[in-house]
Amino acid sequence: VLGAQSALANPEEVAIDEIAAGGSATRKAPFNPSGSKLNCVNCASAFLESVNEGEIVAASADVAENLGSIAKANQQIAATTGVRFGAVQFNTLATRNARQFYVVYPGTSTTAAQHVLIGINNAGKALLYDAQTGAKFFDIGAFGNFVAYPVAF
């Protein structure tokens, strides 16, 4: 755990602040200080842990071996973060909550994927965030197909 940010009254603000639009669509991801290109599951977990703990959590460079299995990746994320997963959504980040986080997989498959991102719906404004690279996708309609699993802490 990096101590760069102190705990806040609303811990979700730490992660939200980190991805806030600053004119740049991509910047170095604070959740992946190693710069590894093989640790996307760990980076997604680190992001969610950061939201829950109120301070930046760094992902290890280790690979979370899952052979591309979405079920296995979700199990790994749940084991690390304690989140519970809701019903899958396709190409949307729909919610009735003021703020909702998602684990997102590019493509249409609910069984296999090669990468994992984070989805955020904040007061109806949705975006996809790659916690591994720092890339932000503000136009989720232009991103292409994806499956999204809402998470609860």
Side-chain angles (χ1 to χ4, degrees):
V1 178
L2 301 178
Q5 302 255 354
S6 62
L8 302 174
N10 184 355
E12 292 177 346
E13 294 300 324
V14 172
I16 292 296
D17 289 346
E18 280 301 320
I19 62 165
S24 170
T26 304
R27 69 177 187 182
K28 183 174 169 71
F31 311 101
N32 188 19
S34 72
S36 174
K37 303 294 183 201
L38 302 173
N39 65 342
C40 61
V41 171
N42 294 340
C43 292
S45 293
F47 178 93
L48 293 170
E49 285 182 287
S50 297
V51 169
N52 196 37
E53 294 180 15
E55 61 185 18
I56 299 299
V57 174
S60 74
D62 299 330
V63 177
E65 294 292 343
N66 53 48
L67 302 176
S69 166
I70 289 174
K72 180 69 174 168
N74 282 353
Q75 289 171 358
Q76 291 166 329
I77 292 167
T80 302
T81 65
V83 298
R84 297 173 314 280
F85 288 93
V88 67
Q89 298 180 18
F90 297 90
N91 301 323
T92 187
L93 301 177
T95 186
R96 292 183 182 150
N97 300 326
R99 181 176 294 147
Q100 179 66 55
F101 296 94
Y102 304 79
V103 172
V104 175
Y105 300 92
T108 58
S109 176
T110 58
T111 58
Q114 297 303 311
H115 196 55
V116 62
L117 303 111
I118 296 293
I120 303 164
N121 185 327
N122 189 25
K125 295 180 182 172
L127 72 102
L128 299 175
Y129 175 67
D130 189 333
Q132 184 179 48
T133 67
K136 301 175 197 110
F137 304 92
F138 297 101
D139 184 354
I140 66 171
F143 178 80
N145 291 319
F146 63 89
V147 295
Y149 296 85
V151 298
F153 295 94

